[in-house]
């Protein structure tokens, strides 16, 4: 009987140890992934894209007739290809962040600490107003780009 009790104790202890190690490994992976996002955001390449994108968005919103995202990306747009690329890089970065937060693939508390000011600046300051311009059209493709970004903003509001 003592042997069975000891064996059960070893099995339960091993299961608990395995579970704790697995949870810690998953947490470390989420922290590492979040840190890599931050390194990507702070990279020199990203900075170049962000500077170009802010000029594109500011110029568009200050124009007498601002246009939506898809119009900025169209072949009829007067934007240079590298400006279009810069704008899509910023947008897709925040879409990726929103998707990763949704599936809990990144550490949400660390993400909030590292990115909250950027979400406020970019999503509230530039992407939401661009979506409002886009929403004035009847085109689903014109407004379809924004929902993931909006979910990112909503997720940020819910994080502690």
């Amino acid at each position: 009987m003592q042997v069975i009790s000891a064996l059960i104790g070893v099995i339960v202890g091993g299961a608990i140890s395995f579970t704790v190690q697995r949870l810690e490994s998953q947490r470390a992976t989420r922290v590492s992934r979040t840190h890599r996002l931050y390194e990507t955001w702070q990279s020199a390449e990203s900075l170049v894209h962000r500077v170009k994108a802010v000029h594109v968005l500011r110029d568009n919103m200050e124009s007498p007739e601002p246009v939506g995202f898809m119009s900025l990306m169209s072949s009829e747009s007067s934007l240079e290809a590298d400006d279009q690329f810069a704008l899509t890089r910023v947008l897709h970065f925040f879409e990726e962040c929103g998707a990763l937060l949704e599936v809990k693939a990144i550490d949400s508390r660390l993400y909030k600490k590292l990115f909250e000011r950027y979400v406020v600046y970019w999503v509230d300051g530039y992407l939401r107003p661009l979506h409002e311009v886009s929403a004035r059209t009847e085109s689903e493709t014109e407004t379809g780009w924004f929902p993931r970004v909006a979910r990112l903003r909503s997720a940020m509001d819910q994080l502690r």
Side-chain angles (χ1 to χ4, degrees):
M1 193 65 157
Q2 289 178 337
V3 171
I4 293 175
S5 290
L7 185 58
I8 290 173
V10 167
I11 291 171
V12 169
I16 290 171
S17 177
F18 172 78
T19 301
V20 168
Q21 287 175 352
R22 185 167 178 257
L23 291 173
E24 178 55 28
S25 175
Q26 289 172 345
R27 187 195 71 75
T29 299
R30 286 191 304 273
V31 167
S32 176
R33 189 175 290 127
T34 308
H35 186 255
R36 281 194 313 271
L37 277 175
Y38 190 71
E39 286 178 330
T40 298
W41 182 250
Q42 293 300 337
S43 71
E45 180 184 9
S46 179
L47 179 60
V48 169
H49 296 312
R50 292 188 339 240
V51 168
K52 286 181 178 189
V54 80
H55 287 292
V56 166
L57 292 167
R58 188 177 297 142
D59 291 349
N60 180 55
M61 295 311 286
E62 291 175 354
S63 74
E65 293 184 32
V67 298
F69 177 74
M70 295 306 288
S71 296
L72 286 171
M73 295 296 112
S74 75
S75 58
E76 290 103 38
S77 173
S78 62
L79 285 181
E80 297 289 328
D82 61 332
D83 289 337
Q84 290 176 327
F85 182 72
L87 183 54
T88 59
R89 292 297 300 155
V90 170
L91 172 64
H92 291 158
F93 180 83
F94 286 114
E95 286 179 325
E96 178 184 17
C97 291
L100 290 170
L101 273 173
E102 273 185 52
V103 299
K104 298 177 180 15
I106 57 177
D107 185 276
S108 58
R109 287 180 30 218
L110 180 58
Y111 181 84
K112 182 169 180 139
K113 288 178 188 279
L114 294 175
F115 287 99
E116 184 170 33
R117 65 179 172 232
Y118 301 114
V119 170
V120 169
Y121 181 81
W122 283 97
V123 174
D124 296 349
Y126 290 103
L127 298 178
R128 186 176 311 279
L130 183 61
H131 176 256
E132 290 167 2
V133 170
S134 295
R136 293 181 195 149
T137 72
E138 296 295 318
S139 169
E140 188 175 307
T141 58
E142 183 67 68
T143 58
W145 61 270
F146 190 68
R148 282 190 187 216
V149 176
R151 286 196 303 268
L152 165 65
R153 187 66 183 104
S154 176
M156 287 294 294
D157 291 342
Q158 294 174 14
L159 296 176
R160 292 178 236 117

